[in-house]
Amino acid sequence: MPEEVHTHLEAALADELASRDAVAFVHVGTRRDPDVRYCPPVEHGGDDAVGRAVHAVAFDPDRETWLSHSSESTAHPGEAVADALADRGLTGTVLTPSRLPHDAALFLEQAGFPLASTDVLERARATKTRAERDRIAAAQRAASAGVRAGVELLAEATVVDPDGDLEVGGTELTLERTRVAIDEAIVAAAAFPAGKTRIEPGTDDGTLRAGTPLTLSVAPRGPGGYYGGLTRTVVVESDGGTDRRGHVAVTHALRSSEAMLTADSQSVTAVEADLEAEVRAFGFPEADDVDTRVTGVGLEQYEPPLEGSETIGPGSVVRLEAAARVGDGWIRLADVLAVDDDGVEWLSAPSRALEPSALLE
């Protein structure tokens, strides 16, 4: 993690420990746990055996230092951290996430430390530092490259039969061919598809067809562990009408929420309600005609702020998604928005055009 992330977290932990008269903070988990990975002693790990190792980390605010033990070097890293804290002569309450493993909790209690739960890690992660925002922006650039690669295939496609089946270069354009092109572009942009590339809807035989809204969704993970999130819907040879009305509705919804967050901090519920109201204003009155979602993005694809009362404000990086049902399909858009004291910024997003060729301009 960048040094400014460490500084941000340590300041949050020090304030939380002081306000609750606690002597240390402890967490235990694998590198796959984003809360563990967010702590300074533990770097991002992959899906190998090392990534599955258990790490115990502790922050001592008086010495402003971290302790760390891993199952690669000790059988019980939670016990090792508990003993290390006791050896420092600390006495008093230790704060931990509520999901601390049971055995780690027992080791701490046996070492004489009463436990109390805290959500300080979640709150710290909900506000992104500039370095974190840069990493999300890099993942978002890879997301944009992936979506553009998929849309380029659709822009080149020709209709080959009355059913609207598509082909490119004399070969049918399938869902799998398009997904591979998207993922290859994400990898070429120095990120990982992370198994999260989606194309909807495909036919039963896996081909893609003209006249049908095709939604491309990606959420690549950068080498530093941070995710992006991008969704575009395009229609090859759209006949206009409902498709265009749905597209105008979701496009205006994202712009409305951008203006809303530019003006002031808002709750997740308020932003989702604004997205929904804007889509409905364009003639989508039924309860199941509209879909919206607002979440944070970072070390997880979806992370705080994501509960209704949680606040989106300066330091937040959020994914806004809006969709309108058109016939049997959906027009769906999603982008990542960063909020600062002096305004907001969409991170590395391609055009939101409905026609493939227009999106590539």
Side-chain angles (χ1 to χ4, degrees):
M1 285 292 169
E3 184 61 33
E4 69 179 73
V5 177
H6 299 170
T7 301
H8 169 69
L9 172 59
E10 289 168 6
L13 288 173
D15 288 347
E16 179 79 354
L17 291 165
S19 69
R20 299 182 60 179
D21 196 25
V23 297
F25 169 83
V26 173
H27 189 32
V28 179
T30 70
R31 285 180 180 155
R32 295 179 181 180
D33 180 341
D35 281 347
V36 170
R37 206 161 61 242
Y38 193 70
C39 295
V42 183
E43 290 299 324
H44 175 65
D47 296 333
D48 55 9
V50 173
R52 291 190 290 271
V54 175
H55 297 263
V57 295
F59 179 65
D60 177 350
D62 289 340
R63 293 176 175 84
E64 297 182 347
T65 57
W66 288 86
L67 302 171
S68 178
H69 289 275
S70 167
S71 60
E72 296 171 284
S73 56
T74 182
H76 299 290
E79 182 179 26
V81 160
D83 290 343
L85 291 173
D87 289 344
R88 290 188 168 198
L90 296 177
T91 58
T93 300
V94 167
L95 300 184
T96 73
S98 59
R99 54 191 178 84
L100 185 77
H102 181 65
D103 59 346
L106 290 178
F107 287 133
L108 287 164
E109 290 174 340
Q110 289 168 2
F113 297 107
L115 303 183
S117 65
T118 177
D119 63 353
V120 64
L121 273 182
E122 291 182 4
R123 288 187 276 113
R125 286 177 52 207
T127 301
K128 301 299 188 289
T129 66
R130 171 58 64 173
E132 290 179 287
R133 175 171 161 174
D134 289 346
R135 291 190 175 193
I136 296 169
Q140 198 68 356
R141 287 192 292 273
S144 182
V147 167
R148 286 183 64 88
V151 173
E152 283 172 357
L153 279 177
L154 292 166
E156 296 172 12
T158 56
V159 181
V160 295
D161 60 33
D163 290 334
D165 288 348
L166 302 172
E167 68 174 32
V168 174
T171 304
E172 67 179 358
L173 183 58
T174 63
L175 186 154
E176 181 63 13
R177 181 181 177 186
T178 307
R179 185 194 62 76
V180 168
I182 292 171
D183 285 353
E184 287 178 344
I186 289 172
V187 172
F192 307 99
K196 299 185 183 298
T197 301
R198 301 286 183 267
I199 305 170
E200 298 176 331
T203 61
D204 292 341
D205 60 3
T207 58
L208 301 178
R209 288 180 177 160
T212 300
L214 299 171
T215 298
L216 315 181
S217 296
V218 298
R221 187 182 69 240
Y226 283 79
Y227 282 89
L230 183 66
T231 299
R232 290 292 183 268
T233 299
V234 295
V235 183
V236 177
E237 296 193 1
S238 172
D239 59 2
T242 306
D243 290 348
R244 294 198 178 279
R245 180 162 56 88
H247 180 257
V248 170
V250 296
T251 300
H252 276 259
L254 292 180
R255 290 173 181 167
S256 176
S257 290
E258 175 188 7
M260 186 181 189
L261 288 168
T262 300
D264 199 2
S265 298
Q266 303 289 340
S267 70
V268 169
T269 294
V271 179
E272 288 181 339
D274 180 70
L275 289 169
E276 180 176 346
E278 192 70 19
V279 175
R280 294 202 183 282
F282 282 84
F284 296 91
E286 299 300 324
D288 59 355
D289 282 347
V290 179
D291 185 35
T292 65
R293 187 174 189 185
V294 176
T295 74
V297 60
L299 289 170
E300 296 175 279
Q301 182 182 2
Y302 306 115
E303 66 179 41
L306 51 78
E307 300 296 335
S309 62
E310 292 176 345
T311 299
I312 301 170
S316 298
V317 179
V318 291
R319 179 181 178 275
L320 307 184
E321 179 176 349
R325 185 189 298 275
V326 292
D328 294 330
W330 289 85
I331 303 294
R332 187 180 299 275
L333 297 175
D335 278 303
V336 171
L337 185 70
V339 184
D340 287 329
D341 289 320
D342 55 356
V344 301
E345 177 189 0
W346 296 107
L347 298 185
S348 304
S351 163
R352 293 172 180 156
L354 185 64
E355 297 177 1
S357 58
L359 186 148
L360 297 172
E361 293 177 354

